[in-house]
Amino acid sequence: DLLFHIPYSFSRRLINPNISFLKEGENIIVDVVVENIAFPDKRSSKSPIKIICGNNTGTVTLNYFNVIPPFIMQKLKKGNKIRVAGVVHKYNYHINISHPEILDSSTQNDLEPSYHLTYGITNQQISNYIQKLLIYVEQIDLQEWLPEDIMLKDNLPTFKDAIFYIHNPSSE
């Protein structure tokens, strides 16, 4: 079912842009180093946990308004290099990303799929499940649905390639 849960759209992300020149609303993927973690005062429960990160082009603050999951917190140690994805917001002339995704360092695709969701699951969770399934599918032999002569005549991709490209297109 996940393989046939087709994205309804894609949004383009800028990969490693100059942080200093980012604009409000830009969707980015950026490599940064964790410089500092600021936990909110216990009396102010509405304040976010702020992770200050930077690279040679500027500084970005990652904001988490709830508890950070342990698997993410392990990556957010001072001095760690991380790959972050999210939408830029400017607040008091500072670049902020609220609830960013912490990506695998090998993530390079600048097209982010958007999937229809149900309550309690995020787009990133669905995308992660599908990517893990695609790794498994790569290792098995999927039977073709169409006769070979039709595939050759119309220059169609294999079933396996079509499933991969629908979730990971190389262009719009």
Side-chain angles (χ1 to χ4, degrees):
D1 288 345
L2 278 174
L3 290 178
F4 292 104
H5 193 69
I6 308 300
Y8 65 86
S9 73
F10 291 88
S11 58
R12 185 161 299 282
R13 301 188 284 195
L14 300 172
I15 296 181
N16 281 320
N18 184 322
I19 294 173
S20 307
F21 297 127
L22 289 173
K23 296 180 182 110
E24 177 79 22
E26 288 184 312
N27 196 351
I28 66 166
I29 295 175
V30 65
D31 294 320
V32 291
V33 174
V34 177
E35 296 173 357
N36 193 23
I37 300 176
F39 290 94
D41 186 345
K42 295 205 186 271
R43 294 171 288 184
S44 177
S45 63
K46 292 185 180 182
S47 296
I49 298 170
K50 296 181 178 196
I51 296 91
I52 292 67
C53 301
N55 63 25
N56 61 349
T57 68
T59 302
V60 61
T61 302
L62 312 178
N63 296 309
Y64 288 91
F65 287 90
N66 296 313
V67 176
I68 301 174
F71 68 93
I72 291 178
M73 197 62 191
Q74 290 173 355
K75 297 176 183 179
L76 300 177
K77 304 274 190 243
K78 190 173 181 176
N80 281 6
K81 186 175 181 179
I82 57 174
R83 176 162 285 180
V84 176
V87 176
V88 171
H89 297 286
K90 288 195 171 185
Y91 181 73
N92 288 341
Y93 304 103
H94 296 284
I95 303 295
N96 292 274
I97 301 175
S98 295
H99 298 277
E101 300 170 47
I102 307 300
L103 302 175
D104 184 310
S105 62
S106 64
T107 303
Q108 291 292 332
N109 197 349
D110 65 339
L111 289 175
E112 177 184 27
S114 294
Y115 296 96
H116 289 288
L117 305 172
T118 59
Y119 179 77
I121 190 160
T122 66
N123 195 68
Q124 184 59 37
Q125 287 172 317
I126 284 253
S127 188
N128 286 342
Y129 294 143
I130 290 171
Q131 293 307 314
K132 287 177 184 171
L133 185 56
L134 287 171
I135 291 169
Y136 171 74
V137 167
E138 187 65 33
Q139 300 168 9
I140 62 174
D141 185 33
L142 285 181
Q143 200 170 14
E144 291 298 331
W145 291 11
L146 297 173
E148 189 175 343
D149 60 327
I150 291 176
M151 290 180 63
L152 291 172
K153 181 182 112 205
D154 293 330
N155 196 27
L156 298 174
T158 65
F159 177 57
K160 189 185 288 191
D161 287 345
I163 290 293
F164 179 82
Y165 292 132
I166 198 98
H167 296 287
N168 298 294
S170 56
S171 69
E172 290 180 58

